[in-house]
Amino acid sequence: VGAVSMATTKSSTRGLPSGIIPALTTPLTADGRLDEAGLEAVIERAVADGVDGLLVLGSSGEVAALDAETRRRTVDVALRASDERVPVVAGVVGTDISATRAAIRDLAGAGIDAVLVAPPAYGPLSQDGLIRFYESVVPERIPMLGYHIPAFTGSRIEPATAALLARSGCLAGIKDSNRDLEYLQQVVMAGADAPGQWNVYVGTDSLILPALLLGADGAITLAAGIAPRWPVELVRHYREGRMPEAVRAQEMLTRLILALRKGAFPAGAKAALELQGVAGRTLAGPREALSDAEVHALREELVGLGVPSVAEQESK
Amino acid sequence: VGAVSMATTKSSTRGLPSGIIPALTTPLTADGRLDEAGLEAVIERAVADGVDGLLVLGSSGEVAALDAETRRRTVDVALRASDERVPVVAGVVGTDISATRAAIRDLAGAGIDAVLVAPPAYGPLSQDGLIRFYESVVPERIPMLGYHIPAFTGSRIEPATAALLARSGCLAGIKDSNRDLEYLQQVVMAGADAPGQWNVYVGTDSLILPALLLGADGAITLAAGIAPRWPVELVRHYREGRMPEAVRAQEMLTRLILALRKGAFPAGAKAALELQGVAGRTLAGPREALSDAEVHALREELVGLGVPSVAEQESK
Amino acid sequence: VGAVSMATTKSSTRGLPSGIIPALTTPLTADGRLDEAGLEAVIERAVADGVDGLLVLGSSGEVAALDAETRRRTVDVALRASDERVPVVAGVVGTDISATRAAIRDLAGAGIDAVLVAPPAYGPLSQDGLIRFYESVVPERIPMLGYHIPAFTGSRIEPATAALLARSGCLAGIKDSNRDLEYLQQVVMAGADAPGQWNVYVGTDSLILPALLLGADGAITLAAGIAPRWPVELVRHYREGRMPEAVRAQEMLTRLILALRKGAFPAGAKAALELQGVAGRTLAGPREALSDAEVHALREELVGLGVPSVAEQESK
Amino acid sequence: VGAVSMATTKSSTRGLPSGIIPALTTPLTADGRLDEAGLEAVIERAVADGVDGLLVLGSSGEVAALDAETRRRTVDVALRASDERVPVVAGVVGTDISATRAAIRDLAGAGIDAVLVAPPAYGPLSQDGLIRFYESVVPERIPMLGYHIPAFTGSRIEPATAALLARSGCLAGIKDSNRDLEYLQQVVMAGADAPGQWNVYVGTDSLILPALLLGADGAITLAAGIAPRWPVELVRHYREGRMPEAVRAQEMLTRLILALRKGAFPAGAKAALELQGVAGRTLAGPREALSDAEVHALREELVGLGVPSVAEQESK
């Protein structure tokens, strides 16, 4: 996968694209309901900027904290707004198998192109437990990505486990948010005997370029929703062999994601969207949005980095 | 709280008893449905042995892995079987506030005496976030315990946070399953200004006696469901000043819980119930029950410890 | 060990006493040399207050940060000042076996009664590695305690390892500073087949009473150097069956150690000694003493707790 | 630093080269003394294969477990064998400032070109403590690298701390062995205001290429001592713009380092040297070498990877 992906653009199925997939936040109104116009605006900008797919209901989308109704409407709005221009992936986080299975079935029914499924929250699973879990919830008609995020779930999906789930066709790839590129290389190799597609995505904005170099098919990341053109151009530079430009693009993205790391996750990204006039900064309860002072400080940093559309914030 | 509890038996409200509250496993049939007769048998034995309350749907009850229907029936069976002889507490684990609130409301409506509520799984909360969380879900008519289990939730409920939630009356106490008796002393002290009851429970069978000594009101523990008479007698020895006997009882419980730590939690406890002829060893998926060989080894240990009712297991 | 130790005072060898062993800080002058008069004053007070032994060069004594000359003089002063009234234990921390062996030999030659030896710092050892380590450094004529402090060494001394080293007579006991009383019970049990003495000490001031109850022989702790009479009386209450008084003494010690947890370890304890007029607050470099403002705040807390001899600190 | 390093070979001072610096193991005879011929052979091969420098007495060199005499002779042999063909860096690990300062002074006096200094083992330091530590031990005439290896020392050198020590000229760079390329980018940026050289090295063989891309000046790694030509060619491909070849070289190195991760660190690397006929596999006590069975399995893997010079091991 590695060296080849540099020279050629993979032909991808509808379900799992190569390249940049912003992990979208879920814009909320001040009283906590889905801000549909905000979500549409975020999606419209990302598609216009050339992203290869969209993720809704990921960790960045506060999936675990949203109620069922908000999750359902988020999917509906995302599918309508993307309008089949790019594939839409949806995240699933849960604790029990039957609810996870039902959520996946509903997403497939609604028209989602692929699901990104985290191991059950609340206590780690053994590797055998992870295998049984993914085999128990695998959807029939759309691909499923495993989500490696041990900081949130307690469970590590070991490379040997990924290899087994690749060979059986249960998983179509892995998103790795553990910031460990040695692991990423191992899960890239884990797909060697996969019968079909095996896509590995890095989940960290600061590591997109090195991950591509090591064989990742793309990135599913937060900052890609704030300045979508930046990672899109990074990938283009990389694929067309302009490495110095790719390095500079990576450096900008790294600075951006460091600036966004403020308050409760993903408060910085939501505040950035507010500064861009795209959507409000409200977080799903019980987490709290950045304060006015924090937003002001963030604004200075984003202006310094040249993030597009960051305007003077109105006082509240 | 500390020294006094040794000499006098606290008068407790219906909701939150002092003493021993077994954290019950949820017996399942081989095909994963609630084994109602098994649950009734477990409860009947525990009440007959003198426990002070019952916990269903805790971590020991695999609450996170059970589907909604099984959780609902577990509550119904437990309330019917206990028949108001002892209070029944129910655990609540979730990720979003609205589902947690609904679950708590349903439990109160069903007649549960108190709820034990874990911080949201899937990513840690700040202390402010924890305060907002508990304030958002507090039930109206029954007491709520906070559940300190950072290994499963990522969130630490700091003593200062517990003190604040005690003062406001939001929490009626804490169950600590972090095996840190310094923390336990701090949450005991945290209740100094509580307007009403403030009950602290230790969640670890190996620490019941020292926790009582340091001011805990009782224990909510797994092994108490396997050999209920042991911790009940430990408390009685302790309250009546027979310390050497209390120490010996603690040592037996420590040996028992160490023996039960096998396989995926709580596989050892479920296998022990099978060896006692009380209920089957099936775990909620995707976790797997102990193998026959593991059960055989466990049997030897339990017989060696003199655990009541452990019979020769039939070959399968 | 457990229940018995409550009723009878163990006859102890010269080397390893039961009861309270303050883990002494190493008083330093403002320019970083050993403050001999300060160390003598600390020891004189502790012995007068009835402690059962003394530890120098432990973690509380900043052993790892002291130079060889200061370590040597600390031992000389401690032996001279204690004057055979109580046994003196010395800590050893190192990285390579030959230096550790030499340090232990020197301590035995100087007249130290026992050594407390940590696993090599800088990277964890396997259990086999720990066994080889302790067997390689065991002194000929004085007892050696293993030091369980994984937060500083990365190595866990598993109970089965402790049992093996107990049986072979290599270790004469364990000091546990991991704040886990289930572990402590397991290492108490680990000594069942020891050919000679097997002493288990708790290393945490907040856990002295529960540790005694669970079979510990004593405590090697920091706050015992600041208010030696408090833990000495705790042990006396415990041994003579006055449990409510023992509980109150424990509560006072817990409050004291919580107050002392300020700045870099053990800055709070050294500042307390300064407030008592016993010794200065200088830390071994590169760690820094508490600021005047921090010392002032500490003073308020210590006065509130009734810690003896805490006087108004002179401005500097 | 990033993009530029790709196109041009940096002119480096004598002290701190760009490129590949093998972190050499310390060959030992069966009875634990330095195997001088083995060390010479390792060095001769590395220099012949084109490495840019050498590290002795690093974590890979088991520095913490070697006695003072072995450390001294390792330095002498390394300086004599390298014969000024490449710079020789030496690692320093200790606990107290005065011993660390003396060790650094001795190394400078012996002719070492630079030192790599870990924070004191045995308990973490605050950022202020780290600054005081490095300022206290900085050598006069040779450059000092900070060593970021929190798994062994407990101390994180935060990017802001690195920036401060870069500006003051105290540190000339950082070696990062924490496998976190976002951190590496931040310490690259931290050198922006350094008055002189600021060199960042990655310490993980699986991450050499991505680290170079993100601005690292080179790699100080274990596998580079086993197959020196591989990383040397990786760097050459990278610098000359042959990215697919660089990616393949990285993949080979990743497979090699994964194969070497066996037993106690660095047992796999030492066994590989034995299989190559270069030096024996003995570890510094108390760690133990791979068993014959483990060596046999390793041999199969190394042959499969095409590692040079791996011969059939004689039975012992």
Side-chain angles (χ1 to χ4, degrees):
Chain A
V1 173
V4 177
S5 69
M6 211 169 48
T8 68
T9 301
K10 271 178 136 173
S11 70
S12 65
T13 67
R14 177 80 171 79
L16 283 173
S18 296
I20 298 302
I21 303 177
L24 300 180
T25 59
T26 307
L28 299 173
T29 59
D31 60 349
R33 288 172 302 109
L34 178 65
D35 170 6
E36 300 197 4
L39 180 55
E40 287 167 353
V42 167
I43 289 174
E44 196 55 41
R45 180 176 67 178
V47 172
D49 277 3
V51 302
D52 302 287
L54 298 166
L55 174 75
V56 292
L57 301 182
S59 303
S60 301
E62 300 172 276
V63 54
L66 301 177
D67 60 38
E69 168 67 10
T70 305
R71 291 199 302 269
R72 197 186 56 72
R73 295 190 61 193
T74 298
V75 166
D76 291 344
V77 171
L79 287 170
R80 187 182 69 216
S82 61
D83 196 21
E84 305 200 347
R85 291 176 292 176
V86 294
V88 179
V89 184
V92 179
V93 166
T95 59
D96 73 277
I97 281 183
S98 71
T100 301
R101 196 187 285 128
I104 291 173
R105 193 181 47 230
D106 289 351
L107 289 168
I112 282 291
D113 295 284
V115 286
L116 169 65
V117 180
Y122 203 72
L125 282 185
S126 68
Q127 299 303 304
D128 280 351
L130 286 168
I131 291 167
R132 277 192 295 275
F133 170 73
Y134 280 115
E135 288 178 344
S136 298
V137 302
V138 60
E140 281 181 26
R141 285 188 307 266
I142 60 173
M144 172 168 67
L145 293 171
Y147 191 7
H148 191 238
I149 184 166
F152 278 21
T153 64
S155 293
R156 285 185 55 85
I157 307 173
E158 296 295 346
T161 302
L164 194 151
L165 292 166
R167 269 197 301 278
S168 74
C170 176
L171 288 186
I174 293 277
K175 175 187 176 187
D176 175 42
S177 290
N178 202 33
R179 212 189 286 185
D180 178 351
L181 290 181
E182 184 176 296
Y183 173 85
L184 184 136
Q185 290 174 74
Q186 291 179 279
V187 293
V188 167
M189 295 175 194
D193 300 328
Q197 198 180 19
W198 179 252
N199 276 26
V200 175
Y201 300 94
V202 67
T204 313
D205 285 284
S206 60
L207 301 177
I208 296 177
L209 178 58
L212 292 172
L213 198 69
L214 296 172
D217 301 274
I220 304 181
T221 57
L222 177 64
I226 310 305
R229 196 164 302 171
W230 292 11
V232 165
E233 289 183 352
L234 185 162
V235 170
R236 195 173 306 143
H237 290 313
Y238 170 72
R239 286 180 176 160
E240 298 175 1
R242 293 185 299 275
M243 206 56 73
E245 288 82 357
V247 168
R248 276 198 290 273
Q250 177 60 72
E251 188 176 315
M252 293 302 293
L253 269 170
T254 299
R255 290 183 190 276
L256 174 54
I257 192 65
L258 292 174
L260 296 177
R261 296 234 182 93
K262 285 180 170 61
F265 183 82
K270 284 195 149 178
L273 290 171
E274 184 174 285
L275 287 166
Q276 292 178 318
V278 179
R281 65 172 123 145
T282 305
L283 293 195
R287 291 182 175 81
E288 202 160 41
L290 295 192
S291 68
D292 285 355
E294 291 169 316
V295 172
H296 187 75
L298 176 61
R299 186 190 166 280
E300 297 300 303
E301 291 185 69
L302 298 186
V303 167
L305 291 172
V307 174
S309 311
V310 175
E312 186 67 58
Q313 193 205 16
E314 301 300 320
S315 67
K316 306 200 128 196
Chain B
V1 172
V4 176
S5 69
M6 211 169 48
T8 68
T9 300
K10 272 179 133 171
S11 71
S12 67
T13 67
R14 176 81 171 81
L16 282 173
S18 296
I20 298 302
I21 303 176
L24 300 180
T25 59
T26 308
L28 299 174
T29 59
D31 61 348
R33 289 171 302 108
L34 178 65
D35 171 5
E36 301 196 4
L39 180 56
E40 288 167 352
V42 167
I43 289 174
E44 196 56 41
R45 180 176 66 178
V47 173
D49 277 3
V51 302
D52 302 288
L54 298 166
L55 175 75
V56 292
L57 301 181
S59 304
S60 300
E62 301 172 276
V63 55
L66 301 177
D67 60 38
E69 167 68 8
T70 305
R71 292 199 301 270
R72 197 185 58 70
R73 295 189 62 192
T74 298
V75 166
D76 290 345
V77 171
L79 288 170
R80 189 182 68 216
S82 61
D83 196 20
E84 303 199 349
R85 291 175 292 176
V86 294
V88 179
V89 184
V92 178
V93 166
T95 59
D96 73 277
I97 280 182
S98 71
T100 301
R101 196 187 284 126
I104 291 172
R105 192 181 48 229
D106 289 351
L107 290 168
I112 282 290
D113 295 285
V115 286
L116 169 64
V117 180
Y122 203 74
L125 282 185
S126 68
Q127 299 304 304
D128 281 351
L130 286 168
I131 292 166
R132 278 191 295 275
F133 170 72
Y134 281 115
E135 288 178 344
S136 298
V137 302
V138 61
E140 283 182 24
R141 286 188 307 267
I142 58 173
M144 173 168 66
L145 293 171
Y147 190 8
H148 190 239
I149 184 166
F152 278 21
T153 65
S155 293
R156 284 185 57 85
I157 307 172
E158 296 295 347
T161 301
L164 194 151
L165 292 167
R167 272 196 301 276
S168 74
C170 177
L171 288 186
I174 293 279
K175 175 187 175 187
D176 175 41
S177 290
N178 202 34
R179 212 189 286 184
D180 178 352
L181 290 181
E182 184 176 297
Y183 174 85
L184 183 136
Q185 290 173 75
Q186 292 178 280
V187 293
V188 167
M189 296 174 193
D193 300 329
Q197 196 181 20
W198 179 251
N199 276 27
V200 176
Y201 300 94
V202 65
T204 312
D205 286 284
S206 58
L207 302 177
I208 296 177
L209 178 58
L212 291 172
L213 198 69
L214 297 172
D217 300 273
I220 305 180
T221 56
L222 177 64
I226 310 304
R229 195 164 302 168
W230 292 11
V232 166
E233 290 183 351
L234 184 162
V235 171
R236 195 173 307 142
H237 290 314
Y238 170 72
R239 286 180 176 161
E240 299 175 2
R242 293 185 299 276
M243 206 56 73
E245 288 81 357
V247 168
R248 276 197 291 274
Q250 177 60 72
E251 188 176 316
M252 293 302 294
L253 269 170
T254 299
R255 291 183 189 275
L256 173 55
I257 192 64
L258 291 174
L260 295 177
R261 295 234 182 94
K262 286 181 171 59
F265 182 81
K270 284 196 148 179
L273 290 171
E274 184 174 285
L275 288 166
Q276 294 179 316
V278 178
R281 66 172 122 146
T282 305
L283 293 194
R287 291 182 175 81
E288 202 160 38
L290 294 192
S291 68
D292 285 355
E294 291 169 315
V295 173
H296 187 76
L298 175 62
R299 187 189 165 280
E300 299 299 304
E301 291 185 69
L302 298 186
V303 168
L305 291 173
V307 173
S309 311
V310 175
E312 186 68 57
Q313 193 206 15
E314 301 300 319
S315 66
K316 307 201 127 195
Chain C
V1 172
V4 176
S5 69
M6 213 169 47
T8 70
T9 300
K10 269 180 135 171
S11 71
S12 66
T13 68
R14 175 81 170 77
L16 283 173
S18 296
I20 296 301
I21 303 177
L24 299 181
T25 59
T26 307
L28 299 174
T29 60
D31 60 349
R33 287 172 302 108
L34 178 65
D35 171 5
E36 300 196 6
L39 180 55
E40 287 167 352
V42 166
I43 289 173
E44 198 55 43
R45 180 176 66 179
V47 173
D49 277 4
V51 303
D52 302 287
L54 297 166
L55 174 75
V56 292
L57 302 181
S59 304
S60 300
E62 300 173 276
V63 56
L66 300 178
D67 60 39
E69 168 67 10
T70 305
R71 291 199 301 269
R72 197 185 57 71
R73 295 189 63 192
T74 298
V75 166
D76 290 345
V77 171
L79 287 170
R80 190 182 66 217
S82 62
D83 196 21
E84 305 199 347
R85 291 175 291 175
V86 295
V88 179
V89 183
V92 178
V93 166
T95 59
D96 73 278
I97 280 182
S98 70
T100 301
R101 197 187 284 129
I104 291 172
R105 192 181 48 228
D106 289 351
L107 290 168
I112 282 291
D113 295 284
V115 286
L116 169 64
V117 181
Y122 202 73
L125 282 184
S126 68
Q127 298 304 303
D128 280 351
L130 287 168
I131 291 166
R132 277 190 297 275
F133 170 73
Y134 280 115
E135 289 178 343
S136 298
V137 302
V138 61
E140 283 181 23
R141 286 188 307 266
I142 59 173
M144 174 169 66
L145 293 171
Y147 191 7
H148 191 240
I149 183 166
F152 278 21
T153 65
S155 293
R156 284 184 56 85
I157 307 173
E158 296 295 347
T161 301
L164 192 152
L165 293 166
R167 272 197 300 276
S168 74
C170 176
L171 288 185
I174 293 278
K175 176 188 174 186
D176 176 42
S177 290
N178 202 34
R179 212 188 285 184
D180 178 352
L181 290 181
E182 184 176 297
Y183 174 85
L184 184 136
Q185 290 174 77
Q186 292 178 280
V187 293
V188 168
M189 296 174 193
D193 301 327
Q197 196 180 18
W198 180 252
N199 276 26
V200 176
Y201 300 94
V202 67
T204 312
D205 285 284
S206 58
L207 302 177
I208 296 177
L209 178 57
L212 291 172
L213 198 70
L214 297 172
D217 301 275
I220 303 181
T221 57
L222 178 63
I226 309 307
R229 196 163 301 169
W230 292 10
V232 166
E233 289 183 350
L234 184 162
V235 171
R236 195 172 306 142
H237 290 313
Y238 170 72
R239 286 181 176 159
E240 298 175 0
R242 293 186 298 276
M243 205 57 73
E245 288 80 357
V247 167
R248 276 197 291 273
Q250 178 59 72
E251 187 176 317
M252 292 302 293
L253 269 170
T254 299
R255 291 183 189 275
L256 174 54
I257 193 65
L258 292 174
L260 295 177
R261 296 233 181 94
K262 285 182 171 58
F265 183 82
K270 284 195 149 180
L273 289 172
E274 185 174 284
L275 288 166
Q276 292 179 318
V278 178
R281 67 172 121 145
T282 305
L283 294 194
R287 291 181 174 82
E288 204 160 38
L290 295 192
S291 68
D292 285 354
E294 290 168 317
V295 173
H296 188 75
L298 175 62
R299 187 189 165 280
E300 299 300 304
E301 291 184 69
L302 298 185
V303 168
L305 291 173
V307 173
S309 312
V310 175
E312 186 68 58
Q313 193 206 15
E314 301 299 319
S315 67
K316 304 201 127 195
Chain D
V1 171
V4 176
S5 69
M6 212 169 47
T8 69
T9 301
K10 270 179 136 172
S11 71
S12 66
T13 69
R14 176 81 171 80
L16 282 174
S18 296
I20 297 302
I21 302 177
L24 299 181
T25 59
T26 307
L28 299 173
T29 59
D31 61 348
R33 289 172 302 110
L34 179 64
D35 171 5
E36 301 196 4
L39 180 55
E40 288 168 353
V42 166
I43 288 173
E44 197 55 43
R45 180 177 66 180
V47 173
D49 277 3
V51 301
D52 302 287
L54 297 166
L55 174 75
V56 291
L57 302 181
S59 304
S60 300
E62 298 172 278
V63 56
L66 301 178
D67 59 39
E69 167 67 9
T70 305
R71 292 199 300 269
R72 198 186 56 71
R73 294 188 63 192
T74 297
V75 165
D76 290 346
V77 171
L79 287 170
R80 190 181 68 215
S82 62
D83 196 20
E84 304 200 348
R85 291 176 290 175
V86 295
V88 180
V89 184
V92 179
V93 166
T95 59
D96 72 277
I97 280 182
S98 71
T100 301
R101 195 187 285 127
I104 291 172
R105 192 182 48 229
D106 289 351
L107 290 168
I112 282 291
D113 296 284
V115 286
L116 170 64
V117 180
Y122 203 73
L125 282 184
S126 69
Q127 299 304 304
D128 281 350
L130 287 168
I131 290 166
R132 278 192 296 274
F133 170 73
Y134 280 115
E135 288 177 343
S136 298
V137 301
V138 61
E140 282 182 22
R141 287 189 306 267
I142 59 173
M144 174 168 65
L145 294 171
Y147 191 7
H148 190 239
I149 182 166
F152 278 21
T153 65
S155 292
R156 285 185 55 86
I157 307 172
E158 296 294 348
T161 301
L164 193 151
L165 292 167
R167 272 198 301 276
S168 74
C170 177
L171 288 185
I174 293 277
K175 174 187 175 186
D176 175 42
S177 290
N178 202 33
R179 213 188 285 183
D180 177 351
L181 290 181
E182 184 176 296
Y183 174 86
L184 185 136
Q185 291 173 75
Q186 291 177 280
V187 293
V188 167
M189 297 174 192
D193 299 329
Q197 196 180 19
W198 179 252
N199 277 27
V200 176
Y201 300 94
V202 67
T204 312
D205 286 282
S206 59
L207 301 177
I208 296 177
L209 178 57
L212 292 172
L213 197 71
L214 296 173
D217 300 274
I220 304 181
T221 56
L222 177 64
I226 309 305
R229 196 164 302 170
W230 293 11
V232 166
E233 290 183 351
L234 184 162
V235 171
R236 195 173 307 143
H237 290 314
Y238 170 71
R239 285 181 176 159
E240 299 175 1
R242 292 186 299 275
M243 205 57 74
E245 288 81 357
V247 168
R248 277 196 291 273
Q250 178 60 73
E251 187 175 318
M252 292 302 293
L253 269 169
T254 299
R255 291 183 188 276
L256 174 54
I257 193 65
L258 292 173
L260 295 177
R261 297 234 181 95
K262 285 180 169 60
F265 183 81
K270 284 196 148 179
L273 289 172
E274 184 174 284
L275 288 166
Q276 292 177 319
V278 178
R281 65 173 124 145
T282 305
L283 293 195
R287 290 181 175 83
E288 204 160 40
L290 295 192
S291 68
D292 286 355
E294 290 169 317
V295 174
H296 187 75
L298 176 61
R299 186 190 165 280
E300 298 299 304
E301 291 184 70
L302 298 185
V303 168
L305 291 172
V307 173
S309 312
V310 175
E312 186 68 57
Q313 193 206 16
E314 300 301 317
S315 66
K316 307 198 124 193

